[in-house]
Amino acid sequence: MRCVVANWKMNLATQEARAFCDDLVGRIAPGPGIEVGIAPPFTLLHLVSGLLRPKGIQVFGQNGHAEPKGAFTGEVSMPQLRDAGCSGVLLGHSERRQFFGETDAALAKKVKAAWQWDLLPLLCIGETLEQRDAGRTLEVLGQQLSILGETGPGPLWVAYEPVWAIGTGRRAEAAQVQEAHAFIRAELNRLLPTGTYQVPILYGGSVTPESFPELLGLPEVAGGLVGGASLDPRKFAELVKQAS
Ligand code: PGA
């Protein structure tokens, strides 16, 4: 199965989102073998899920709190994401880890909460440039994946997103992607009991229609998590077609 997910981050407002969705549904009709998702900001979830879910496109939250409700000003819970039309949630994006202090311990709770509310977690992992230069890439990925030892198995997608490749126009080299994805697959096999659901591993970080076909040709690359290029419906539709 191939997966292409748009991460809109803190971009777009109502009119732009509506125009994007109208344009996108005229360009793609996801068939069997491909899953397409959009992760809009919280304020656009209702609108986007109303327009896209009937067309077979999934909607993801960009984050979700581990508690179902309560005094957590500024947070959104997993049942609220479901209520707004989400079928999944991005967890552990590097911007959340870097700028909002998201920890592996918090992420283990969030993954379990997502399952409890029937949301598919898309767990993002990746090393910083400093960690790569220090030769610590696989150690960091292993640490970030180790939460799965605590959560146990469940429906899950993983995105390998080297922090230095996000929003920089500097995509990871094929050999770097291949090494990371092979390691992630081996770790998933080690941490999750055999015979359980096969977790798709997506690549993210400066994915464009120019670079995506090469990535899709690599073993263990099931698709992409796309930021910048996902804000243009023509480019995003092109990525979906390449993965189809
Ligand atoms: P980018 O973002 O495609 O703009 O590099 C990817 C992401 O942050 O998920």
Side-chain angles (χ1 to χ4, degrees):
M1 183 182 59
R2 288 282 178 74
C3 318
V4 185
V5 179
N7 176 9
W8 284 359
K9 309 192 179 185
M10 199 172 70
N11 294 296
L12 307 189
T14 304
Q15 302 283 29
E16 298 158 311
R18 187 185 295 282
F20 179 106
C21 294
D22 289 345
D23 191 324
L24 186 69
V25 298
R27 292 176 189 276
I28 60 163
I34 179 147
E35 293 282 358
V36 181
I38 308 267
F42 294 136
T43 51
L44 297 172
L45 286 175
H46 269 289
L47 173 77
V48 172
S49 60
L51 293 170
L52 297 186
R53 288 198 67 182
K55 306 289 180 185
I57 297 171
Q58 301 198 40
V59 178
F60 286 70
Q62 292 180 12
N63 179 32
H65 198 277
E67 293 298 325
K69 64 178 179 178
F72 299 101
T73 302
E75 291 290 318
V76 170
S77 72
M78 303 297 177
Q80 287 171 326
L81 292 179
R82 269 224 77 91
D83 179 60
C86 292
S87 58
V89 58
L90 306 190
L91 292 177
H93 190 279
S94 67
E95 288 151 18
R96 302 251 9 124
R97 294 178 192 259
Q98 262 186 304
F99 306 136
F100 303 98
E102 192 131 287
T103 63
D104 288 323
L107 286 165
K109 290 192 186 134
K110 289 178 178 211
V111 168
K112 285 195 264 188
W115 286 337
Q116 196 180 343
W117 295 96
D118 208 13
L119 289 166
L120 172 75
L122 171 42
L123 179 67
C124 307
I125 60 173
E127 80 289 359
T128 63
L129 191 54
E130 202 182 14
Q131 290 163 336
R132 175 165 283 276
D133 287 345
R136 294 183 50 219
T137 298
L138 302 185
E139 175 202 328
V140 169
L141 298 181
Q143 170 63 36
Q144 292 171 337
L145 283 173
S146 69
I147 64 166
L148 299 174
E150 190 185 320
T151 63
L156 177 74
W157 294 358
V158 168
Y160 169 56
E161 298 204 298
V163 178
W164 46 274
I166 295 178
T168 58
R170 182 180 163 196
R171 204 209 76 192
E173 301 289 326
Q176 294 170 323
V177 177
Q178 212 166 319
E179 182 193 33
H181 280 235
F183 175 78
I184 293 166
R185 174 62 66 211
E187 282 296 284
L188 291 171
N189 287 341
R190 192 175 67 76
L191 290 161
L192 304 175
T194 49
T196 53
Y197 173 88
Q198 173 86 348
V199 177
I201 309 170
L202 286 62
Y203 167 82
S206 297
V207 170
T208 62
E210 289 69 44
S211 66
F212 202 36
E214 185 195 11
L215 289 162
L216 287 169
L218 300 174
E220 298 296 355
V221 174
L225 176 57
V226 190
S230 79
L231 294 169
D232 175 341
R234 268 169 310 152
K235 282 191 190 166
F236 187 65
E238 184 58 29
L239 295 170
V240 172
K241 282 183 195 151
Q242 289 172 342
S244 298

